[in-house]
Amino acid sequence: QVQLLESGGGLVQAGGSLRLSCAASGRTFSSYAMAWFRQAAGKERAFVARISRWSGGNRYYGDSVKGRFTISRDNAKNTVYLQMNSLKPEDTAVYYCAADQAAWVPSYHSSGEYDYWGQGTQVTVTS
């Protein structure tokens, strides 16, 4: 069982930056692949980024955030991060942290692949 708690959301102007954090409970955090998803009002939950388990050597990004967002993890702190730069109004959404027990799957961009979810944190980008 893993419990996830996101933080770091807020209101920011276009072009600005935010760093989201997701703190995980449990002693097996490093054995989970971790991801960020987002859900804008009236839209489906969408994949943002994923980092592999253990050392996090493999990272994957959604097309809309490539080059602007960076996912990272600190296993000593049981925390995964999402550094968001060059934010745009279309990045406005609730951002969710998720954990996956599988090492790697082709469906890593699908929300149904993930076993545990946080409650989400709101990010609002103004123009």
Side-chain angles (χ1 to χ4, degrees):
Q1 186 80 13
V2 176
Q3 293 184 324
L4 305 172
L5 182 62
E6 303 95 336
S7 62
L11 183 68
V12 63
Q13 288 189 330
S17 299
L18 280 175
R19 188 177 80 156
L20 305 183
S21 299
C22 173
S25 66
R27 293 177 290 179
T28 60
F29 171 76
S30 59
S31 68
Y32 288 87
M34 301 297 296
W36 289 93
F37 283 75
R38 66 186 183 186
Q39 188 165 18
K43 295 188 177 181
E44 294 186 353
R45 196 166 294 191
F47 172 76
V48 175
R50 175 182 169 110
I51 187 167
S52 59
R53 60 184 184 177
W54 308 122
S55 63
N58 295 312
R59 308 178 191 193
Y60 309 89
Y61 296 94
D63 289 341
S64 62
V65 306
K66 281 180 183 176
R68 300 188 297 123
F69 290 11
T70 302
I71 189 170
S72 61
R73 68 188 300 158
D74 185 338
N75 292 333
K77 295 182 178 180
N78 278 16
T79 301
V80 62
Y81 303 98
L82 184 69
Q83 178 65 44
M84 306 186 294
N85 298 330
S86 302
L87 283 161
K88 304 175 182 180
E90 50 264 43
D91 294 318
T92 295
V94 178
Y95 282 71
Y96 296 91
C97 173
D100 183 8
Q101 297 182 84
W104 185 88
V105 290
S107 58
Y108 65 84
H109 56 280
S110 172
S111 60
E113 169 58 33
Y114 294 83
D115 304 293
Y116 303 102
W117 291 86
Q119 295 298 311
T121 185
Q122 176 71 47
V123 171
T124 302
V125 184
T126 61
S127 57

